[in-house]
Amino acid sequence: MRRKIVAGNWKMNLDFQQADELIANIVKELNQHHRKDVDVVICPPFPYLMIADYEAETNGYFLGAQNVSIFNNGAYTGEISASMLSAMCVDYCIVGHSERRKLFFESNKDVAEKVNRLLENDVKPIVCVGEVLEERENGQHFSVIKKQVSEGLFHLTEGQMQQIVIAYEPVWAIGTGRTASTFQAQEIHSFIRGLVLEKYGAETANEIRILYGGSCTAKNAKDLFAMPDVDGGLIGGASLKANDFVTIAQSF
Ligand code: PGA
C-alpha cells in the first residue's frame, strides 16, 4: 500500500518570525493529531530550512526544499546544490513547479537534470506537472502531461522511479481558488499511473505516489484524497495556516 503524503509549499512567503511561529504551531498540531500513516513534508524557503530542520528531527515530519541547482558545485552564484540540501537533512525537493516553469523558464530537460542531482544525493524529488487553462480548453492536457512526465522522468531506472513523487497541479487551479473536480483529478492521476505502468510495469506503477495540487484546502481535501489514484496533496496557500495544513494532512 502506498504511504500517503501531504507536502506544504510555502513559496516565498513569511518573515523569519512568522516562519518560526508557523513551524511551532504545525508541530503543536501534529503532536495532537499525528497520523502515523501519512508523511508530512514542510517546504519552507531556503533560509528557513534551519529552523524547520531542528524541529523535524524531533517531531516526525520531513523537510523539503522548493528548488535545486542542475549543477553539482562551482561558480554558479545564487544556486543551491543537491548535496547542500542533503547536508541540511532535506528529504524531499519540489522540482518543475509551474511557477518555475513559467517565470524561470525551467524546461523538462532541466527537470530531468534536477531529478538526477537529487537522486544522486538521496533527496526525493516531488516532480510537478500540469496543463495551463488554454491547454485544457483545447483538450491538450493529456499530451502536455505525457510530455512532461516522459521527458522529465522516463530516463530513470525502475529503482530510481520508485523514489519519485509526482504532483499533478493544473496551473489554472494554483492559487486561484478554482480546484480541479474529483473526476478531473482522478482522471489525470490514473492517466499518469498508466504511463508509469506502460514504461516501468505494475510494481512501480503501484508504488509511485501521485499528489494533487491546486487550491487544495481543509474543505475539499477529503473528497480529493478519497480518489483511488490520489495519494495526497501539494499544498500552497493552505499550508501557511497550521490548523488548515494539519487538517489536510488528516483528510484520508
Ligand atoms: P495553492 O498552490 O494550494 O495555493 O493553489 C499549490 C502549489 O502551487 O503547489
Side-chain angles (χ1 to χ4, degrees), residues 6-35:
V6 169
N9 174 13
W10 291 10
K11 309 192 181 183
M12 197 172 73
N13 288 303
L14 309 180
D15 65 24
F16 188 86
Q17 194 187 334
Q18 290 168 328
D20 199 29
E21 278 168 19
L22 180 54
I23 288 284
N25 288 334
I26 290 173
V27 167
K28 208 190 305 166
E29 296 268 344
L30 282 176
N31 284 340
Q32 281 163 14
H33 309 286
H34 198 59
R35 290 258 315 251

Short mmCIF file of all heavy atoms in Angstrom, two decimals, residues 6-35:
data_model
loop_
_atom_site.label_atom_id
_atom_site.label_comp_id
_atom_site.label_asym_id
_atom_site.label_seq_id
_atom_site.Cartn_x
_atom_site.Cartn_y
_atom_site.Cartn_z
N VAL A 6 1.45 14.47 2.42
CA VAL A 6 0.95 15.84 2.27
C VAL A 6 2.14 16.79 2.45
O VAL A 6 2.83 16.76 3.47
CB VAL A 6 -0.15 16.16 3.32
CG1 VAL A 6 -0.47 17.65 3.33
CG2 VAL A 6 -1.42 15.38 2.98
N ALA A 7 2.41 17.59 1.40
CA ALA A 7 3.56 18.48 1.44
C ALA A 7 3.08 19.93 1.37
O ALA A 7 2.19 20.27 0.59
CB ALA A 7 4.48 18.19 0.25
N GLY A 8 3.67 20.77 2.22
CA GLY A 8 3.32 22.19 2.25
C GLY A 8 4.38 23.00 1.52
O GLY A 8 5.55 22.96 1.89
N ASN A 9 3.95 23.72 0.48
CA ASN A 9 4.86 24.56 -0.29
C ASN A 9 4.64 26.01 0.12
O ASN A 9 3.67 26.63 -0.30
CB ASN A 9 4.56 24.35 -1.79
CG ASN A 9 5.35 25.29 -2.68
OD1 ASN A 9 6.30 25.94 -2.24
ND2 ASN A 9 4.97 25.35 -3.96
N TRP A 10 5.54 26.49 0.95
CA TRP A 10 5.36 27.86 1.47
C TRP A 10 5.65 28.94 0.42
O TRP A 10 5.36 30.11 0.64
CB TRP A 10 6.29 28.09 2.67
CG TRP A 10 5.94 27.32 3.90
CD1 TRP A 10 5.02 26.32 4.03
CD2 TRP A 10 6.52 27.50 5.20
NE1 TRP A 10 5.00 25.85 5.32
CE2 TRP A 10 5.92 26.57 6.05
CE3 TRP A 10 7.50 28.35 5.71
CZ2 TRP A 10 6.26 26.46 7.41
CZ3 TRP A 10 7.85 28.25 7.05
CH2 TRP A 10 7.22 27.31 7.89
N LYS A 11 6.29 28.54 -0.66
CA LYS A 11 6.72 29.50 -1.70
C LYS A 11 7.59 30.59 -1.04
O LYS A 11 8.25 30.32 -0.03
CB LYS A 11 5.52 30.07 -2.45
CG LYS A 11 4.62 28.94 -2.97
CD LYS A 11 3.58 29.36 -3.94
CE LYS A 11 2.76 28.13 -4.34
NZ LYS A 11 1.76 28.44 -5.37
N MET A 12 7.57 31.83 -1.57
CA MET A 12 8.45 32.87 -1.00
C MET A 12 7.63 33.74 -0.05
O MET A 12 7.46 34.95 -0.27
CB MET A 12 9.08 33.71 -2.12
CG MET A 12 10.29 34.50 -1.66
SD MET A 12 11.17 35.31 -3.00
CE MET A 12 10.06 36.63 -3.42
N ASN A 13 7.11 33.11 1.00
CA ASN A 13 6.24 33.81 1.95
C ASN A 13 6.82 33.78 3.36
O ASN A 13 7.66 32.96 3.66
CB ASN A 13 4.86 33.15 1.96
CG ASN A 13 4.09 33.43 0.69
OD1 ASN A 13 3.86 34.58 0.33
ND2 ASN A 13 3.72 32.38 -0.03
N LEU A 14 6.33 34.69 4.18
CA LEU A 14 6.58 34.79 5.63
C LEU A 14 7.93 35.42 5.97
O LEU A 14 8.95 35.14 5.32
CB LEU A 14 6.51 33.41 6.31
CG LEU A 14 5.27 32.56 6.05
CD1 LEU A 14 5.38 31.25 6.82
CD2 LEU A 14 4.00 33.30 6.43
N ASP A 15 7.91 36.25 7.02
CA ASP A 15 9.19 36.74 7.54
C ASP A 15 9.71 35.71 8.55
O ASP A 15 9.04 34.70 8.83
CB ASP A 15 9.07 38.16 8.12
CG ASP A 15 8.17 38.23 9.36
OD1 ASP A 15 8.01 37.19 10.05
OD2 ASP A 15 7.62 39.31 9.64
N PHE A 16 10.89 35.96 9.06
CA PHE A 16 11.55 34.95 9.89
C PHE A 16 10.69 34.55 11.09
O PHE A 16 10.51 33.38 11.41
CB PHE A 16 12.92 35.46 10.35
CG PHE A 16 13.73 34.41 11.04
CD1 PHE A 16 14.52 33.53 10.32
CD2 PHE A 16 13.70 34.29 12.43
CE1 PHE A 16 15.26 32.54 10.95
CE2 PHE A 16 14.43 33.31 13.07
CZ PHE A 16 15.22 32.43 12.33
N GLN A 17 10.16 35.58 11.74
CA GLN A 17 9.36 35.30 12.95
C GLN A 17 8.09 34.51 12.61
O GLN A 17 7.70 33.58 13.31
CB GLN A 17 9.00 36.62 13.63
CG GLN A 17 8.50 36.39 15.04
CD GLN A 17 7.98 37.68 15.66
OE1 GLN A 17 8.39 38.77 15.28
NE2 GLN A 17 7.07 37.55 16.61
N GLN A 18 7.45 34.90 11.52
CA GLN A 18 6.23 34.17 11.11
C GLN A 18 6.56 32.72 10.77
O GLN A 18 5.79 31.80 11.08
CB GLN A 18 5.61 34.85 9.88
CG GLN A 18 4.98 36.20 10.18
CD GLN A 18 4.66 36.96 8.89
OE1 GLN A 18 5.35 36.84 7.88
NE2 GLN A 18 3.60 37.76 8.93
N ALA A 19 7.70 32.51 10.13
CA ALA A 19 8.10 31.14 9.76
C ALA A 19 8.34 30.32 11.02
O ALA A 19 7.90 29.16 11.12
CB ALA A 19 9.37 31.19 8.90
N ASP A 20 9.02 30.93 11.97
CA ASP A 20 9.30 30.26 13.24
C ASP A 20 8.00 29.88 13.95
O ASP A 20 7.84 28.76 14.44
CB ASP A 20 10.14 31.24 14.09
CG ASP A 20 10.87 30.53 15.20
OD1 ASP A 20 11.19 29.34 15.02
OD2 ASP A 20 11.09 31.17 16.25
N GLU A 21 7.06 30.82 13.95
CA GLU A 21 5.77 30.56 14.61
C GLU A 21 4.98 29.48 13.88
O GLU A 21 4.36 28.62 14.51
CB GLU A 21 4.92 31.85 14.63
CG GLU A 21 5.30 32.76 15.78
CD GLU A 21 4.69 34.16 15.63
OE1 GLU A 21 3.71 34.34 14.87
OE2 GLU A 21 5.24 35.08 16.27
N LEU A 22 5.01 29.52 12.56
CA LEU A 22 4.25 28.53 11.79
C LEU A 22 4.78 27.12 12.06
O LEU A 22 4.01 26.19 12.31
CB LEU A 22 4.30 28.85 10.29
CG LEU A 22 3.54 27.89 9.37
CD1 LEU A 22 2.08 27.71 9.78
CD2 LEU A 22 3.61 28.37 7.92
N ILE A 23 6.10 26.99 12.06
CA ILE A 23 6.69 25.67 12.36
C ILE A 23 6.24 25.21 13.76
O ILE A 23 5.78 24.08 13.94
CB ILE A 23 8.24 25.73 12.34
CG1 ILE A 23 8.75 25.86 10.92
CG2 ILE A 23 8.86 24.52 13.01
CD1 ILE A 23 8.70 24.60 10.11
N ALA A 24 6.35 26.13 14.73
CA ALA A 24 5.98 25.76 16.10
C ALA A 24 4.52 25.33 16.17
O ALA A 24 4.17 24.34 16.83
CB ALA A 24 6.24 26.94 17.04
N ASN A 25 3.65 26.06 15.46
CA ASN A 25 2.22 25.72 15.50
C ASN A 25 1.92 24.41 14.78
O ASN A 25 1.07 23.64 15.22
CB ASN A 25 1.39 26.86 14.90
CG ASN A 25 1.36 28.06 15.82
OD1 ASN A 25 1.52 27.92 17.04
ND2 ASN A 25 1.19 29.25 15.27
N ILE A 26 2.60 24.17 13.67
CA ILE A 26 2.40 22.89 12.96
C ILE A 26 2.82 21.74 13.88
O ILE A 26 2.13 20.73 14.00
CB ILE A 26 3.19 22.86 11.62
CG1 ILE A 26 2.56 23.83 10.62
CG2 ILE A 26 3.21 21.45 11.04
CD1 ILE A 26 3.34 24.00 9.32
N VAL A 27 3.96 21.93 14.52
CA VAL A 27 4.47 20.88 15.43
C VAL A 27 3.46 20.61 16.55
O VAL A 27 3.15 19.46 16.89
CB VAL A 27 5.84 21.29 16.01
CG1 VAL A 27 6.24 20.40 17.18
CG2 VAL A 27 6.89 21.23 14.92
N LYS A 28 2.91 21.70 17.10
CA LYS A 28 1.92 21.55 18.17
C LYS A 28 0.71 20.75 17.68
O LYS A 28 0.25 19.81 18.31
CB LYS A 28 1.47 22.95 18.64
CG LYS A 28 1.05 22.95 20.09
CD LYS A 28 0.38 24.23 20.55
CE LYS A 28 1.16 25.50 20.35
NZ LYS A 28 0.36 26.71 20.50
N GLU A 29 0.21 21.12 16.51
CA GLU A 29 -0.95 20.43 15.93
C GLU A 29 -0.62 18.97 15.62
O GLU A 29 -1.43 18.07 15.85
CB GLU A 29 -1.38 21.11 14.63
CG GLU A 29 -1.86 22.53 14.79
CD GLU A 29 -3.37 22.62 15.00
OE1 GLU A 29 -4.06 21.64 14.73
OE2 GLU A 29 -3.81 23.69 15.46
N LEU A 30 0.59 18.76 15.07
CA LEU A 30 0.96 17.38 14.71
C LEU A 30 1.07 16.51 15.95
O LEU A 30 0.71 15.32 15.93
CB LEU A 30 2.30 17.37 13.95
CG LEU A 30 2.26 17.77 12.48
CD1 LEU A 30 3.67 17.78 11.90
CD2 LEU A 30 1.38 16.83 11.65
N ASN A 31 1.58 17.10 17.02
CA ASN A 31 1.70 16.32 18.26
C ASN A 31 0.35 15.87 18.77
O ASN A 31 0.20 14.78 19.31
CB ASN A 31 2.41 17.13 19.34
CG ASN A 31 3.90 17.20 19.11
OD1 ASN A 31 4.44 16.37 18.38
ND2 ASN A 31 4.56 18.19 19.67
N GLN A 32 -0.66 16.71 18.53
CA GLN A 32 -2.01 16.35 18.99
C GLN A 32 -2.70 15.36 18.06
O GLN A 32 -3.45 14.51 18.48
CB GLN A 32 -2.87 17.61 19.10
CG GLN A 32 -2.58 18.38 20.39
CD GLN A 32 -3.11 19.81 20.31
OE1 GLN A 32 -3.89 20.16 19.42
NE2 GLN A 32 -2.64 20.65 21.21
N HIS A 33 -2.44 15.51 16.73
CA HIS A 33 -3.27 14.75 15.79
C HIS A 33 -2.46 13.87 14.84
O HIS A 33 -2.93 13.56 13.76
CB HIS A 33 -4.06 15.70 14.88
CG HIS A 33 -4.82 16.75 15.60
ND1 HIS A 33 -5.97 16.49 16.29
CD2 HIS A 33 -4.61 18.08 15.73
CE1 HIS A 33 -6.43 17.62 16.82
NE2 HIS A 33 -5.63 18.58 16.51
N HIS A 34 -1.23 13.56 15.16
CA HIS A 34 -0.40 12.95 14.13
C HIS A 34 -0.91 11.60 13.66
O HIS A 34 -1.25 10.74 14.46
CB HIS A 34 1.04 12.82 14.61
CG HIS A 34 1.98 12.62 13.46
ND1 HIS A 34 2.08 13.53 12.45
CD2 HIS A 34 2.82 11.61 13.15
CE1 HIS A 34 2.97 13.10 11.56
NE2 HIS A 34 3.42 11.95 11.96
N ARG A 35 -0.98 11.47 12.33
CA ARG A 35 -1.35 10.19 11.73
C ARG A 35 -0.06 9.51 11.28
O ARG A 35 0.64 10.00 10.42
CB ARG A 35 -2.25 10.43 10.51
CG ARG A 35 -3.64 10.94 10.83
CD ARG A 35 -4.67 9.83 10.75
NE ARG A 35 -4.55 8.98 9.59
CZ ARG A 35 -5.40 8.96 8.56
NH1 ARG A 35 -6.43 9.76 8.56
NH2 ARG A 35 -5.23 8.14 7.55
#
